[in-house]
Amino acid sequence: MKILVTELMWDDGIEELRKKGYTVDYDMELSRKRDELLQLVPEYDALIVRNETQVDTEFLDAAKKAKVIGRLGVGLDNIDLEAAKERNLPVIAAKNANATSVAEYVMAAMLDASRPLSDADADVRRGNWDRKFFTGYELNKRTLGLVGMGEIAHRVAKRARAFGMKVMGYDPFVAPFDHVVQETGVHPTETLDELLSESDFVSVHVPLTKGTKHMINKDNFPLMKPHAYIINSARGGIVHEQDLVDAVQSEKIAGAYLDVLEKEPVEKGSQLAQVESIRLSPHIAGLTDEAQSRTAMLIAQEVDRVLNGGKSICAAV
């Protein structure tokens, strides 16, 4: 059987599939060559994608032989799940494989905001020695607000509490006796506005849906503390980007760390890239060697399981 990989996949996952006897064709740029992609798709028994490949009805109609679609990651907003379900085509995601890496990214962002060592290094190399300017602050006793209280938020909370932080969370789907509340010590808030108003850092951990699109915007930025930071490692579009620029420039909040954007890569002339206190990274929160190895191996194993008649433990549909 043949498997097509349309985006970046770590070698160990590809080798795992080849060891099992599959023909694996791999082109990490194929997601950006739509016409060629649609011509190739009908030949394959399984398709493995990341976040750039648009798995829409056109793609699914072309995937005539496909028995499974593997997603190298957890976000599924680029895949039409309802259309896949109508076609009885399983979609599997790399459940929790990169959760630790994303949690560490959030901690790195908070540490960078409180102690900007790279800025201090650059300033010293320019011949300065400004100890007062680079006097930072401790994370200890600061408040972290988690928008969404799923697995990644749970891992962020554990690390933040180890730093002595108070952790709050807003998630209407989390019950009072769920693990993240009872065992991790996250204090749940009844409303998003309450969380935003009390947090020194706000970290976003929800999927992009009709209900979460632009959920953080000009209406609630004024509620935040003027020294607060937004951290978005979830999906672009949850934070309204123009409203964020306006909020930072008008000093309603201190800044932001954005790993994800509504349009990726960042557009030329983007205002986001012109505001120094909005720090940007190229969708790398979950992109560590360890996480990508786990992701590749998990998807390889689960694709193999489905192709051999089994049901995946990581099935989204």
Side-chain angles (χ1 to χ4, degrees), residues 212-223:
T212 63
K213 186 174 177 64
H214 294 164
M215 70 183 298
I216 300 177
N217 56 59
K218 63 183 179 182
D219 294 330
N220 44 35
F221 276 125
L223 301 173

Side-chain angles (χ1 to χ4, degrees), residues 181-197:
V181 177
Q182 290 294 306
E183 302 297 329
T184 313
V186 177
H187 173 70
T189 65
E190 292 188 7
T191 67
L192 175 62
D193 286 354
E194 179 187 351
L195 179 129
L196 294 175
S197 66

Side-chain angles (χ1 to χ4, degrees), residues 24 30 43 64 76 85 90 101 106 116 126-127 133-134 142 157 171-172 180-181 195 213 229 269 277 281 287:
V24 181
L30 191 56
E43 304 173 21
K64 302 182 190 306
L76 296 165
K85 187 176 182 179
S101 294
V106 175
R126 288 192 292 267
F133 183 81
F134 289 105
R142 299 274 170 167
D171 192 327
V180 69
V181 177
L195 179 129
K213 186 174 177 64
Y229 282 83
S277 55
S281 54
L287 205 67

